[in-house]
């Protein structure tokens, strides 16, 4: 069954300034590669539907949401912190990004699509219940996972995160929800230095030192993620798909290539086939070299789509 590809042109209107690495060019680079290689026409494309206030407030406090609405400027840019800023179009894009994750969940749980990829921005995994940070405003993957847990067919969810940065927001939201297993690989020590030392049975952290070889990443997934995921028996798997651990990425110091992302996606699709009828919702997080990002997403989608 065809893989869903969910995006929205308005996700490119969110703009934190010409020098900012989390730029609209990222989504354009992904689309360019998928169109040039012909992969796009093999995917079922959907335009994202915005998340509702109620859906966003499953993961975030009302104060968080209304605080962002107050911060959003009518013109220019407002800096929520040193690297996270709102322009007049930010919350529209963030609401579409969160909505894409929900739409992907519905498509996969209904059986209309086996799996789905959300090509969206702003990213989400640093957004905590009450805090926007690290280019993130609403936690897209968490909002999708909480939507999944409201469906009668879903008892347990897994979220796996291979972004080079630790997904502190996702851990903040699910740290006391044992039905949600959160598995992460991330460069350590490194940004964001929040929650990475937490001890919980449902939080599996695999820190990787700077400049470590891809073999260490692969061992973490095979030896640590895989048994934990098999024991958890999720009804659906969410991927916080950040591609900034790529060797060409300017943001960090891990050395993965497209082949590692292809391998990791294969491991996860094989597992999903065993435990949950292949149900995967993958949501874009980081990836700041647009060329490397495009090729990495291509590799990821070729496996999801069964090429
Ligand atoms: Zn990242």
């Amino acid at each position: 069954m065809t893989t869903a590809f969910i995006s929205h042109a308005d996700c490119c209107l969110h703009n934190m300034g010409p020098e900012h690495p989390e730029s609209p060019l990222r989504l354009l680079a992904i689309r360019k590669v998928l169109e040039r290689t012909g992969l796009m026409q093999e995917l079922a494309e959907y335009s994202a539907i915005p998340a509702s206030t109620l859906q966003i407030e499953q993961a975030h406090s009302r104060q968080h949401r209304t605080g962002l609405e107050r911060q959003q400027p009518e013109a220019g840019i407002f800096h929520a912190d040193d690297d996270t800023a709102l322009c007049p179009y930010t919350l529209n894009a963030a609401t579409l990004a969160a909505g894409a994750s929900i739409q992907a969940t519905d498509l996969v749980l209904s059986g209309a699509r086996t799996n789905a990829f959300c090509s969206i921005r702003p990213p989400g995994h640093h957004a905590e219940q009450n805090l926007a940070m690290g280019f993130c405003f609403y936690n897209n993957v968490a909002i999708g996972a909480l939507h999944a847990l409201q469906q009668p067919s879903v008892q347990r969810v897994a979220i796996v995160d291979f972004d080079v940065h630790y997904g502190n927001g996702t851990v903040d939201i699910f740290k006391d929800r044992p039905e949600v297993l959160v598995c992460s690989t991330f460069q350590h020590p490194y940004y964001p230095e929040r929650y990475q030392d937490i001890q919980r049975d449902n939080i599996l952290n695999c820190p990787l030192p700077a400049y470590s070889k891809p073999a260490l990443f692969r061992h973490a997934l095979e030896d640590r993620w895989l048994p934990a995921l098999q024991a958890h028996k999720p009804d659906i798997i969410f991927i916080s798909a950040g591609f900034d651990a790529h060797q060409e990425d300017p943001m960090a110091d891990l050395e993965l290539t497209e082949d590692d992302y292809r391998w990791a996606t294969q491991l996860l699709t094989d597992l999903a086939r065993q435990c949950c009828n292949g149900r995967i919702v993958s949501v874009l997080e980081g990836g700041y070299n647009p060329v490397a990002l495009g090729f990495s997403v291509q590799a990821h989608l070729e496996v999801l789509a069964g090429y």
Side-chain angles (χ1 to χ4, degrees):
M1 222 172 327
T2 318
T3 294
F5 179 91
I6 309 176
S7 191
H8 197 292
D10 288 359
C11 286
C12 289
L13 296 178
H14 163 57
N15 197 329
M16 296 187 283
E19 305 297 320
H20 203 292
E22 206 289 274
S23 100
L25 293 175
R26 300 174 60 235
L27 298 190
L28 301 176
I30 291 171
R31 181 171 291 276
K32 196 167 148 191
V33 170
L34 299 181
E35 285 178 352
R36 199 177 54 214
T37 56
L39 184 54
M40 188 60 97
Q41 63 202 53
E42 307 299 323
L43 307 172
E45 202 177 344
Y46 295 83
S47 192
I49 301 166
S52 70
T53 298
L54 200 65
Q55 288 167 328
I56 290 167
E57 289 184 2
Q58 296 295 313
H60 299 285
S61 66
R62 178 155 300 176
Q63 298 92 291
H64 175 76
R65 191 182 57 73
T66 55
L68 288 172
E69 282 170 4
R70 278 195 301 274
Q71 288 179 342
Q72 179 166 276
E74 285 182 14
I77 284 178
F78 175 86
H79 280 270
D81 67 23
D82 285 349
D83 49 32
T84 309
L86 295 96
C87 78
Y89 308 104
T90 295
L91 294 181
N92 182 46
T95 305
L96 287 164
S101 177
I102 289 171
Q103 199 177 348
T105 303
D106 284 339
L107 285 167
V108 168
L109 288 178
S110 71
R113 305 289 169 201
T114 304
N115 54 38
F117 178 73
C118 301
S119 188
I120 48 83
R121 57 185 289 280
H125 75 152
H126 293 306
E128 299 185 1
Q129 292 176 64
N130 294 304
L131 183 64
M133 60 177 277
F135 319 159
C136 301
F137 303 89
Y138 300 144
N139 194 313
N140 307 316
V141 104
I143 290 168
L146 288 162
H147 177 71
L149 283 165
Q150 290 176 333
Q151 315 310 311
S153 60
V154 177
Q155 310 300 318
R156 286 174 309 282
V157 166
I159 300 173
V160 300
D161 185 335
F162 53 62
D163 190 279
V164 81
H165 305 96
Y166 186 58
N168 59 293
T170 310
V171 170
D172 175 63
I173 292 163
F174 293 113
K175 59 188 184 300
D176 298 315
R177 298 286 298 261
E179 70 275 36
V180 181
L181 174 68
V182 183
C183 302
S184 309
T185 52
F186 54 97
Q187 182 174 325
H188 179 70
Y190 202 49
Y191 184 89
E193 303 293 353
R194 289 170 72 85
Y195 281 119
Q196 73 276 358
D197 297 323
I198 192 171
Q199 301 288 329
R200 291 283 198 287
D201 288 344
N202 67 318
I203 308 292
L204 175 56
N205 291 343
C206 303
L208 301 169
Y211 307 108
S212 53
K213 294 292 167 202
L216 210 58
F217 167 78
R218 293 192 182 204
H219 283 309
L221 268 62
E222 255 175 344
D223 302 344
R224 303 205 48 216
W225 284 18
L226 205 54
L229 288 162
Q230 283 163 337
H232 188 67
K233 297 186 176 64
D235 300 304
I236 181 168
I237 298 173
F238 286 82
I239 305 179
S240 259
F243 298 95
D244 43 8
H246 193 285
Q247 62 181 4
E248 305 290 337
D249 197 280
M251 198 78 83
D253 308 301
L254 291 186
E255 300 184 346
L256 303 189
T257 66
E258 293 89 288
D259 281 345
D260 297 299
Y261 293 120
R262 190 184 304 277
W263 177 89
T265 310
Q266 192 67 59
L267 182 98
L268 293 167
T269 51
D270 288 346
L271 173 82
R273 239 177 259 128
Q274 290 164 25
C275 72
C276 54
N277 281 329
R279 290 192 283 265
I280 290 179
V281 169
S282 177
V283 182
L284 182 66
E285 301 284 359
Y288 302 101
N289 174 325
V291 176
L293 175 64
F295 289 134
S296 299
V297 170
Q298 179 196 351
H300 182 60
L301 272 167
E302 280 174 354
V303 178
L304 288 178
Y307 283 87

